[in-house]
């Protein structure tokens, strides 16, 4: 009997290392095998004392117990009687502890936390505190991260606060559970069974977000359906808000501008019409009666066919301010998107958002944020930063990053996006001299903003591992970390993620971290080197389509963006072309205009360059382009090789998962290289350099491929 039991336990243990479906994300809480470390952690945490009775504090306690049990073993509590781990918000702590914490509380904001080691009444204490219970929860997650990443907890003295107020995910999820640009299954919101059936996944979602500091979620697609605002759906939204609340996650909804007509029975949605104003006021009140901490509305107006104030000869300010007035009594905000472009503007799509919005600076109400995509076109593998950043000193500008990989190989390509986010955040707008980075615009420090925000278009779906590819969990994680602190380094975040998600073994972390750090460069190389952009196939954007020229709107066609001809390739946005560079501060514009100073990665974004143009390295543009495509392919090969060597450190399930996906990525990188080079060669009329692999198919073949059921469309 005993033998059988032992066998069973051993078997269970082995199975564990084979099967990890990735559902637990970065909250794996794996047992720490290093005995010294384990006893250090055990000694410090064996007595937990929580102060406060809120749901949030209960969650913090549960999380500590779960994490410590997992990492230190179930007997950790008996380790020592001489130390105490105390957590609770400021108002609940005893005076002697408060005295020891001194003026720490003046250094954190409402969501911030303190973690401090102190000696009191003959005992070692670790105190985790904040001004609010939510701050305490964030502190608890941070403390657990210390142990997950195996840092010393002997003398802790941490004070940390989020630098951005609104840190939201944008779900482009539809009410029928399809997800626009979603590549990880269907929407996790099971609208049909809500509000009565509460999928445990809602709690797990809130917990994962809280663990990285995300504090809001926009539940539905920016291409909005007005039904979400009907009582039938608000019942469901309310149920979700109740689940999320103790985790500090506020719910926001996208507001379809024509909702007063579609569900309100009015004849107009004109923001100057009194009935319309009244309708929004009442609708908003109805929402707050259900959800007192409702965050507000996200609006896509007069963009890609969505209705908006311009349908009534009003402008964006009129529309945004009307909604802001309705939200004002409840402290709600409007996130008004700047992603607008019109087929009637023949100059340059990249200029339109700036041209349309910058003149409105100073006219929006205080509770309006203008939400701007990271670059001026649309979430490309590489874009220069959006010229609006820094150009509207009187308006809070929110960053919109895309976590889902609409244009970056979707969920099969393992791309570590925080590297791209970091580049954007570090870009210097020069709006108030050198050092006026995009991060300073977003966190409000450049122009002293009271309200700040950041949004990430979610890559989450109902796939068991949430993101369709375990490697892409890092993008959700990294987005959250940068939303909390936009000055963190992508490399440090990658390391934390790897340690929390897979292993603390250096032989694993170093190579995989290096691999992750090359991925954004690789995808640019094998898809759109030197500033090429928007050359993806039509509609689903899956795979190459630089030849596409038959779409009804000029700026939907790849040929509009690359402008390849017998002379050269690239979009001239300098003063000899569309003048788009003039939308940047003079220092930045000068650099972009100057062929000698512009960085290679922005070259064809801003210039039409001859095929035989000699680049900085002395080689022609054509040769460099071909070599870059090849380099991208080689980089993916290298990623595969790195991963092959990681087998000993990763459970079999996730190891194989990632391995198969890397093989797809490699195949598709070659597809991109071959299709693009064959196509551009028709214009350059130049041979491929020796070291570039010869395409194995014809251009006709690549052009004949079609994917009617590619996801996310
Ligand atoms: C584009 C997407 C489209 C979105 C749009 C947006 O192709 O699905 O609706 O952006 O951000 O990238 O509104």
């Amino acid at each position: 009997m005993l033998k059988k039991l032992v066998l069973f336990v051993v078997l269970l243990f082995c199975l564990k290392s084979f099967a990890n479906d990735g559902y637990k994300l970065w909250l794996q809480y794996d047992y720490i095998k290093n005995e010294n470390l384990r006893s250090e952690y055990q000694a410090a945490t064996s007595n937990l004392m929580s102060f406060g009775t809120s749901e949030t504090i209960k969650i913090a306690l549960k999380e500590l117990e779960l994490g410590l049990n997992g990492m230190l073993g179930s007997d950790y509590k008996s380790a020592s009687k001489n130390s105490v781990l105390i957590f609770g918000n400021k108002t609940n702590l005893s005076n002697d502890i408060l005295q020891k914490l001194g003026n720490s509380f003046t250094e954190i904001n409402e969501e911030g936390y303190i973690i401090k080691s102190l000696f009191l009444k003959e005992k070692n204490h670790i105190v985790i505190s904040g001004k609010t219970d939510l701050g305490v929860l964030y502190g608890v997650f941070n403390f657990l991260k210390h142990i997950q990443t195996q840092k010393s907890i002997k003398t802790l003295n941490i004070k940390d606060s989020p630098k951005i107020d609104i840190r939201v995910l944008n779900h482009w999820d539809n009410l029928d559970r399809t997800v626009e640009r979603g590549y990880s299954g269907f929407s996790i919101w099971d609208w049909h069974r809500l509000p009565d059936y509460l999928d445990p996944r809602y709690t797990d979602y809130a917990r994962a977000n809280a663990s990285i500091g995300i504090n809001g979620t926009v539940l539905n697609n920016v291409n909005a359906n007005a039904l979400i605002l009907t009582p039938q759906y608000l019942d469901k939204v309310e149920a979700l808000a109740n689940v999320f609340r103790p985790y500090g996650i506020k719910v926001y909804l996208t507001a379809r501008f024509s909702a007063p007509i579609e569900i309100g029975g009015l004849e107009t949605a004109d923001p100057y019409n009194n009935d319309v104003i009244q309708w929004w006021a009442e609708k908003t009140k109805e929402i707050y009666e259900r959800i007192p901490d409702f965050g507000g509305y996200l609006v896509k107006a007069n963009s890609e066919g969505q209705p908006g104030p311009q349908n009534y000869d009003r402008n964006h300010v009129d529309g945004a301010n009307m909604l802001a007035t309705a939200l004002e009594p409840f402290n709600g905000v409007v996130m008004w998107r700047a992603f607008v472009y019109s087929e009637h503007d023949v100059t340059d799509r990249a200029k339109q958002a700036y041209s349309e919005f910058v003149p409105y600076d100073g006219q929006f109400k205080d509770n309006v944020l203008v939400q701007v995509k990271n670059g001026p076109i649309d979430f490309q593998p590489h874009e220069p930063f959006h010229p609006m950043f820094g150009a509207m000193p009187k308006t809070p500008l929110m960053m919109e990053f895309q976590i889902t990989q609409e244009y970056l190989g979707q969920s099969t390509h393992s791309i570590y996006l925080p590297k791209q986010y970091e580049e954007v955040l570090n870009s210097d707008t020069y709006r108030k001299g050198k050092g006026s980075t995009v991060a300073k615009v977003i966190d409000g420090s450049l122009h002293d903003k009271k309200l700040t925000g950041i949004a990430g278009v979610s890559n989450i779906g109902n796939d068991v591992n949430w993101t369709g590819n375990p490697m892409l969990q890092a993008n959700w994680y990294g987005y959250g970390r940068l939303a909390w602190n936009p000055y963190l380094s992508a490399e440090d975040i990658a390391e934390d993620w790897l340690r929390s998600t897979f292993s603390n073994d250096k032989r694993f972390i170093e190579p995989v971290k290096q691999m992750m750090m090359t991925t954004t460069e690789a995808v640019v190389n094998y898809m759109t080197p030197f500033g090429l952009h928007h050359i993806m196939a039509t509609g689903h954007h899956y795979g190459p389509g630089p030849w596409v020229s038959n779409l009804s709107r000029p700026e939907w066609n790849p040929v509009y963006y690359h402008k390849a001809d017998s002379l050269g390739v690239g979009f001239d946005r300098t003063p000899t072309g569309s003048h788009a560079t003039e939308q940047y501060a003079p220092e930045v514009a000068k650099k972009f205009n100057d062929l000698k100073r512009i960085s290679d990665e922005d070259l064809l974004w801003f210039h039409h360059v001859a095929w035989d143009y000699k680049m900085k390295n002395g080689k022609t543009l054509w040769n460099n382009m071909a070599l870059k495509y090849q380099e991208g392919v080689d980089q993916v090969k290298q990623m595969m090789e790195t991963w092959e060597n990681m087998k000993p450190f990763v459970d079999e399930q996730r190891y194989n998962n990632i391995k198969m996906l890397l093989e797809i990525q490699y195949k598709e990188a070659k597809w991109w290289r071959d299709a693009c080079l064959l196509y551009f060669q028709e214009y350059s009329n130049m041979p491929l350099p020796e070291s570039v692999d010869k395409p194995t198919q014809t251009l006709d073949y690549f052009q004949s491929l079609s994917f009617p059921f590619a996801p996310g469309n």
Side-chain angles (χ1 to χ4, degrees):
M1 183 65 193
L2 188 72
K3 247 189 179 169
K4 269 192 187 156
L5 195 74
V6 171
L7 205 75
F8 180 70
V9 173
V10 170
L11 203 75
L12 260 186
F13 191 76
C14 293
L15 273 180
K16 198 178 158 241
S17 63
F18 286 117
N20 187 329
D21 58 19
Y23 183 82
K24 290 200 284 178
L25 298 161
W26 46 88
L27 300 167
Q28 297 284 325
Y29 297 141
D30 283 338
Y31 185 66
I32 294 173
K33 297 194 190 96
N34 179 323
E35 223 168 292
N36 289 340
L37 266 178
R38 206 172 61 243
S39 34
E40 179 198 328
Y41 298 146
Q42 282 174 338
T45 57
S46 54
N47 296 303
L48 301 183
M49 281 175 71
S50 70
F51 289 91
T53 53
S54 71
E55 282 307 307
T56 305
I57 290 294
K58 284 184 201 150
I59 288 167
L61 175 62
K62 209 170 123 198
E63 193 69 32
L64 272 171
E65 287 184 331
L66 181 77
L68 297 175
N69 266 317
M71 293 187 285
L72 309 181
S74 49
D75 57 344
Y76 79 94
K77 281 192 170 168
S78 54
S80 160
K81 293 277 165 265
N82 288 325
S83 51
V84 197
L85 177 75
I86 286 183
F87 59 100
N89 86 41
K90 190 182 170 195
T91 52
N92 291 324
L93 295 183
S94 65
N95 276 338
D96 42 2
I97 290 182
L98 285 176
Q99 245 166 22
K100 288 259 181 191
L101 293 178
N103 56 5
S104 302
F105 288 99
T106 59
E107 293 173 46
I108 59 168
N109 64 27
E110 290 299 300
E111 292 178 293
Y113 59 84
I114 297 161
I115 308 178
K116 197 165 166 62
S117 316
L118 39 96
F119 195 72
L120 199 77
K121 295 187 183 146
E122 309 291 300
K123 280 187 182 169
N124 290 316
H125 286 65
I126 293 175
V127 179
I128 304 176
S129 191
K131 292 182 181 169
T132 59
D133 288 346
L134 181 60
V136 177
L137 181 63
Y138 288 146
V140 161
F141 275 117
N142 189 277
F143 176 74
L144 285 166
K145 175 155 68 71
H146 261 71
I147 301 183
Q148 284 181 288
T149 56
Q150 304 194 352
K151 296 206 175 73
S152 169
I153 56 164
K154 279 193 183 122
T155 46
L156 293 167
N157 188 8
I158 301 169
K159 282 159 248 164
D160 197 15
S161 300
K163 294 191 192 302
I164 297 174
D165 305 325
I166 298 173
R167 308 178 294 280
V168 289
L169 287 178
N170 285 185
H171 287 265
W172 286 0
D173 296 19
N174 299 311
L175 300 182
D176 64 2
R177 294 195 78 173
T178 56
V179 181
E180 180 150 345
R181 312 309 178 185
Y183 312 103
S184 320
F186 286 93
S187 169
I188 55 173
W189 318 132
D190 186 352
W191 292 112
H192 187 66
R193 290 197 281 178
L194 276 163
D196 302 313
Y197 184 80
L198 295 173
D199 190 329
R201 200 164 190 149
Y202 305 147
T203 313
D204 296 334
Y205 166 86
R207 170 178 168 246
N209 279 323
S211 76
I212 48 176
I214 288 173
N215 68 357
T217 177
V218 185
L219 297 175
N220 57 327
N221 194 351
V222 286
N223 297 318
N225 187 325
L227 285 180
I228 194 79
L229 300 173
T230 58
Q232 186 191 3
Y233 275 91
L234 289 177
D235 268 349
K236 302 168 193 276
V237 173
E238 183 183 338
L240 288 174
N242 289 341
V243 175
F244 300 161
R245 187 166 299 112
Y247 293 88
I249 314 283
K250 278 190 188 179
V251 160
Y252 300 74
L253 293 174
T254 56
R256 186 162 162 90
F257 204 77
S258 50
I261 304 173
E262 286 153 15
I263 58 167
L266 300 184
E267 271 170 12
T268 176
D270 181 349
Y272 278 29
N273 178 292
N274 282 333
D275 292 340
V276 171
I277 296 171
Q278 187 60 23
W279 188 85
W280 280 110
E282 276 164 21
K283 181 52 71 184
T284 306
K285 188 159 164 268
E286 179 190 340
I287 297 176
Y288 277 93
E289 273 161 11
R290 294 166 174 276
I291 309 168
D293 56 352
F294 178 67
Y297 301 127
L298 169 64
V299 188
K300 171 174 177 177
N302 295 119
S303 162
E304 297 184 331
Q306 293 299 304
Q310 291 172 352
N311 298 30
Y312 309 95
D313 285 332
R314 315 293 182 197
N315 63 30
H316 288 291
V317 177
D318 300 326
N321 285 353
M322 186 249 317
L323 292 175
T325 306
L327 287 156
E328 211 169 20
F330 311 100
N331 295 320
V333 300
V334 176
M335 300 176 283
W336 192 270
R337 295 178 87 224
F339 178 70
V340 294
Y341 60 98
S342 143
E343 69 268 45
H344 306 301
D345 185 331
V346 288
T347 57
D348 179 359
R349 171 173 164 187
K351 287 169 61 182
Q352 293 188 35
Y354 178 104
S355 306
E356 202 161 336
F357 275 86
V358 170
Y360 297 139
D361 191 26
Q363 297 181 36
F364 290 101
K365 288 184 74 97
D366 286 349
N367 56 336
V368 176
L369 299 112
V370 174
Q371 183 167 314
V372 185
K373 289 188 179 181
N374 60 278
I377 295 289
D378 195 8
F379 299 138
Q380 295 303 296
H382 171 77
E383 297 196 29
F385 69 90
H386 202 299
M388 281 175 70
F389 291 119
M392 294 182 72
K394 296 184 199 132
T395 311
L397 294 191
M398 250 178 111
M399 171 65 77
E400 179 175 320
F401 283 128
Q402 195 178 44
I403 311 173
T404 192
Q405 289 168 218
E406 175 180 356
Y407 296 98
L408 285 97
Q410 308 184 345
S411 67
T412 47
H413 293 213
S414 295
I415 313 292
Y416 177 58
L417 288 170
K419 181 80 178 10
Q420 186 203 64
Y421 306 157
E422 178 186 52
E423 269 166 31
V424 177
L425 291 164
N426 289 342
S427 299
D428 199 339
T429 70
Y430 276 89
R431 287 292 175 186
K432 281 178 90 182
K434 194 169 160 51
S436 307
T437 59
V438 172
K440 288 187 188 167
V441 175
I442 298 308
D443 79 0
S445 58
L446 191 69
H447 295 121
D448 197 19
K449 286 278 142 33
K450 302 227 161 28
L451 187 60
T452 55
I454 183 165
V457 180
S458 150
N459 63 347
I460 299 166
N462 71 350
D463 276 2
V464 67
N465 63 22
W466 301 85
T467 55
N469 170 349
M471 288 305 285
L472 306 186
Q473 296 174 353
N475 297 338
W476 174 10
Y477 179 87
Y479 162 72
R481 296 286 307 276
L482 285 169
W484 179 278
N485 180 355
Y487 303 95
L488 292 180
S489 98
E491 186 166 346
D492 291 349
I493 295 173
E495 175 151 349
D496 283 347
W497 178 75
L498 286 168
R499 285 176 182 269
S500 312
T501 309
F502 288 105
S503 164
N504 273 283
D505 195 314
K506 275 235 160 308
R507 292 168 299 171
F508 171 79
I509 296 162
E510 284 311 315
V512 181
K513 189 172 72 180
Q514 290 321 318
M515 168 183 117
M516 288 167 75
M517 294 303 284
T518 63
T519 52
T520 49
E521 190 191 304
V523 69
V524 172
N525 290 343
Y526 66 71
M527 283 188 187
T528 54
F530 298 129
L532 286 173
H533 51 288
H534 219 303
I535 56 173
M536 291 74 191
T538 304
H540 46 60
H541 300 152
Y542 169 66
W547 46 80
V548 174
S549 63
N550 61 349
L551 303 178
S552 59
R553 288 176 58 162
E555 78 290 356
W556 282 350
N557 290 293
V559 295
Y560 169 96
Y561 296 97
H562 64 66
K563 302 203 184 310
D565 54 26
S566 61
L567 301 178
V569 60
F571 197 131
D572 184 0
R573 295 191 159 109
T574 72
T576 53
S578 80
H579 295 257
T581 53
E582 287 164 15
Q583 295 184 335
Y584 291 92
E587 292 85 343
V588 181
K590 253 190 235 150
K591 187 169 165 206
F592 285 153
N593 286 336
D594 186 346
L595 271 174
K596 298 220 167 58
R597 287 182 61 217
I598 191 167
S599 65
D600 285 348
E601 57 183 4
D602 290 321
L603 185 66
L604 304 178
W605 187 282
F606 288 110
H607 295 267
H608 191 75
V609 179
W611 294 109
D612 61 359
Y613 172 75
K614 284 253 167 32
M615 291 179 63
K616 286 172 193 147
N617 65 0
K619 294 187 187 124
T620 63
L621 169 68
W622 170 251
N623 277 352
N624 271 320
M625 187 188 271
L627 292 167
K628 272 288 170 208
Y629 273 109
Q630 180 67 42
E631 190 182 330
V633 171
D634 295 342
Q635 283 168 308
V636 181
K637 184 106 207 284
Q638 182 62 54
M639 288 162 66
M640 287 168 69
E641 281 163 17
T642 303
W643 192 251
E644 297 267 325
N645 294 329
M646 294 303 116
K647 199 166 179 179
F649 308 103
V650 188
D651 56 280
E652 199 168 311
Q653 193 174 4
R654 286 184 299 174
Y655 174 79
N656 283 332
N657 231 304
I658 292 167
K659 183 172 168 348
M660 287 188 284
L661 292 166
L662 283 169
E663 279 158 14
I664 297 177
Q665 187 174 355
Y666 184 51
K667 205 160 85 181
E668 295 187 354
K670 289 191 281 189
W671 169 29
W672 268 93
R673 176 197 62 197
D674 293 351
C676 291
L677 287 177
L678 283 171
Y679 171 75
F680 287 122
Q681 196 172 31
E682 301 232 303
Y683 294 94
S684 79
N685 271 314
M686 293 161 92
L688 290 177
E690 278 295 302
S691 56
V692 175
D693 295 344
K694 302 281 162 293
T696 51
Q697 299 284 354
T698 62
L699 182 57
D700 280 346
Y701 165 80
F702 291 119
Q703 292 182 338
S704 74
L705 297 176
S706 104
F707 305 93
F709 304 114
N713 195 12

